[in-house]
Structure formats: structure tokens, C-alpha cells
Amino acid sequence: MKCNMNAGLSGCSMERARKVLVHLCKDGAAQPAQFVQSITGHFSEGGEDEVEVGCSLERNRFILHRADAGRGVTLKRHAFCPIKHLSVTENAALSLDVQQRGVDVGVATILQTANQRVLLTRRAKELRIFPNIWVPPGGHLELDETLLDAGLRELQEETGLKLEPEEGSPNILGVWESVFPALLSRGLPQRHHIVVYLLLRSPLSHLELQGSLSPSPAEVSACLWADRQLVSAVVSDPDGENHDLQRSVSVSQVSADGALSDSSLPLEDFLSRTPVSGPDVERVSTGTMFALKLWLQSLDDL
């Protein structure tokens, strides 16, 4: 996509030109996705919340297109996705700035250790978007980065862990359509992302990696190496039984100066779901649960 960077270009258009946005392939051409456009809905014929797509990164455009069955990756949105349920009246109430934002691209790194644990981080409570929520390290895809570049950069920025590109054996687990706030009852949409969950495999155990962990307190308030048993409980029916699990989970709390200290949290914090009303609670994000379920499936495939 060529951009005419002339003096008449609006500030919003300049902002769009400075970041990687989602494009949808239609009639052989890639067109920018609109902020209020449901990406999953674009590819579903009957309103399904899960579809299979192909994706590519070309000239700072993240392009999604239809894929034949078994040849793409899973793209999913939650059933309560605000963009899916946005009414005409609510659409009209969005500010022009929000309407013109487009759909951003994020990369989240599922770091798998040699002993099959994955790293989760709790977002700092001061963050504006999804504070106090458990997610893998991740953030925006920047201009001229590959997905792997972004995943490795965010991993190092947020946790201090540095992996070399050739040692991670990366592959895409799945793609999640994320909207903030997560529910229309909490306000009109302000952010719309497609998040690529990238699986990286470290040759080290979680105990070996723990010594190099140095989280950024501005972004991370706690860390956790989740084993397969805990992950299985997180992605299971919240009303199901978890008799084999301890009622507390060992985590590393991050102090204001970045120091780590051993602590524990109630298991219920990791089994909570998005409340249908009222303020949000500490929990594992819905997109993260989607990715963790795919991670478990990848272990079964092995």
C-alpha cells in the first residue's frame, strides 16, 4: 500500500501510516480493516466465532485471507465481543478518532520451557488497558518488524529474558480478536486488536530461566511458570472440579524497583472469568485461555 505523505495528510492518517494495521484480502486486493469491522465475522458465513484463515506480513501490512480447511490458523473472537454486538446507535457514538484507528496488530509470546511450562505475567495495575490481568509477554508489532522480531523484543522488554531468533523454533498457535473494554456494559470500544500468539520453545527449564528473569515493573506486577496441570484447569469449565490442584499458586511478585519475591495467590484468581457486570477482576485473559488451549493441543500432537 502506497501512502502519499503530503502536507494535506491528516494527523489521524499519519498515525495510521506509522503503525502496522490489519488488512483484509478481498477480490485479490488487501484493504485496511475498519475499526468497527468484526474481523472474525468477515470470514464467517453463519456468524461463527471461530474460523480458519491464512495470514502474511507484507510491507508493514498484516494481511488476513480465507484459507482452505486444515491449511490455515485459527482466528477466534469471544461470543461477547463488543464489535460483534455494536449497535448502529453505539457505532455513531464513537468518536471520529476511534473510528479512524483501524485494527492494530499485537504479538504475544507463549514461551515453553524444556520441562513444559509456560510463562505468564500479570499486567501492572497502572496500565490503562486490561490492568491486573494475566497474559503472556506481548505488545504491538512495530514497523519493519517480523512477528518473531516483535515477540522476542516484547519478551525481553517485559521480562528481561533474551532468546536468539534461531533457538525458539517459532510457530503461530492462533490468532485472537481482542477489543477493549471487553464488554459493551463497560463502555464503548476504544481499542481493537488482532493478537498473534507465537509459540517459542526454550532449551532451558523454568528454573534455569528464572535466574535471568528481570521484569519491568511499569508493565509487569507478577510472573508465573504455569505447568500443564494448572493450564488444564485454567482452560477448563470454571465450575468443574480441580481436586488434584493445590488451592494456591506459587508466583513471583515484582516490586516497584523490579525485585522479585516468592509469593502465592489463590487458585480461584486463575479460574475466574470475565464478569458480566461490575468491575473486572484478576483473571487470565480470554485470549490467553484460547492460546493456552491450543498450546495443550500442540503438546498432545507431539
Side-chain angles (χ1 to χ4, degrees), residues 110-114 116-118 199-202 295 298-299:
I110 301 291
L111 177 61
Q112 175 185 314
T113 66
Q116 295 189 344
R117 296 196 179 209
V118 290
L199 175 62
L200 296 178
R201 300 175 179 88
S202 171
W295 175 67
S298 75
L299 295 181

Side-chain angles (χ1 to χ4, degrees), residues 17-228:
R18 285 198 296 263
K19 59 184 181 178
V20 180
L21 294 173
V22 173
H23 286 63
L24 302 176
C25 198
K26 184 178 181 181
D27 299 327
Q31 301 294 332
Q34 302 302 306
F35 180 86
V36 295
Q37 182 175 11
S38 173
I39 307 303
T40 310
H42 174 82
F43 294 103
S44 64
E45 297 180 356
E48 300 89 354
D49 294 318
E50 183 175 316
V51 294
E52 194 167 342
V53 298
C55 60
S56 61
L57 186 59
E58 304 174 16
R59 293 177 298 176
N60 288 318
R61 302 174 303 169
F62 186 70
I63 301 174
L64 292 170
H65 57 85
R66 296 187 185 278
D68 295 332
R71 299 177 64 91
V73 297
T74 301
L75 165 64
K76 189 172 182 178
R77 65 184 176 190
H78 201 286
F80 56 62
C81 176
I83 294 294
K84 173 184 176 181
H85 297 287
L86 198 66
S87 68
V88 174
T89 302
E90 290 164 333
N91 190 337
L94 292 171
S95 69
L96 184 61
D97 173 64
V98 170
Q99 290 183 34
Q100 294 182 339
R101 279 180 181 159
V103 180
D104 294 297
V105 182
V107 179
T109 299
I110 301 291
L111 177 61
Q112 175 185 314
T113 66
N115 56 334
Q116 295 189 344
R117 296 196 179 209
V118 290
L119 177 61
L120 297 179
T121 61
R122 187 177 62 194
R123 289 172 59 81
K125 63 182 180 180
E126 295 82 10
L127 294 175
R128 289 183 300 131
I129 299 176
F130 295 117
N132 219 39
I133 300 297
W134 287 89
V135 297
H140 281 97
L141 176 65
E142 296 184 353
L143 292 175
D144 300 321
E145 281 188 319
T146 65
L147 296 175
L148 179 57
D149 289 339
L152 293 174
R153 173 182 54 76
E154 290 288 349
L155 178 66
Q156 184 172 9
E157 289 177 358
E158 294 187 10
T159 71
L161 296 177
K162 183 177 181 180
L163 268 68
E164 298 301 328
E166 62 274 8
E167 68 175 311
S169 303
N171 65 279
I172 296 175
L173 279 175
V175 183
W176 178 259
E177 185 169 8
S178 173
V179 179
F180 180 83
L183 296 169
L184 279 173
S185 60
R186 297 197 186 125
L188 294 175
Q190 299 298 312
R191 294 290 187 271
H192 189 181
H193 288 78
I194 286 296
V195 181
V196 180
Y197 284 94
L198 193 65
L199 175 62
L200 296 178
R201 300 175 179 88
S202 171
L204 304 178
S205 71
H206 75 284
L207 294 176
E208 292 173 304
L209 289 168
Q210 181 70 17
S212 300
L213 203 59
S214 178
S216 166
E219 299 186 80
V220 175
S221 63
C223 300
L224 159 69
W225 296 102
D227 62 17
R228 186 170 184 168

Side-chain angles (χ1 to χ4, degrees), residues 265-295:
L265 292 173
L267 174 63
E268 286 70 24
D269 287 355
F270 299 92
L271 306 184
S272 298
R273 297 296 189 260
T274 306
V276 295
S277 61
D280 209 344
V281 297
E282 182 171 352
R283 58 184 174 84
V284 178
S285 81
T286 312
T288 300
M289 288 192 290
F290 156 75
L292 291 177
K293 186 174 292 187
L294 293 174
W295 175 67

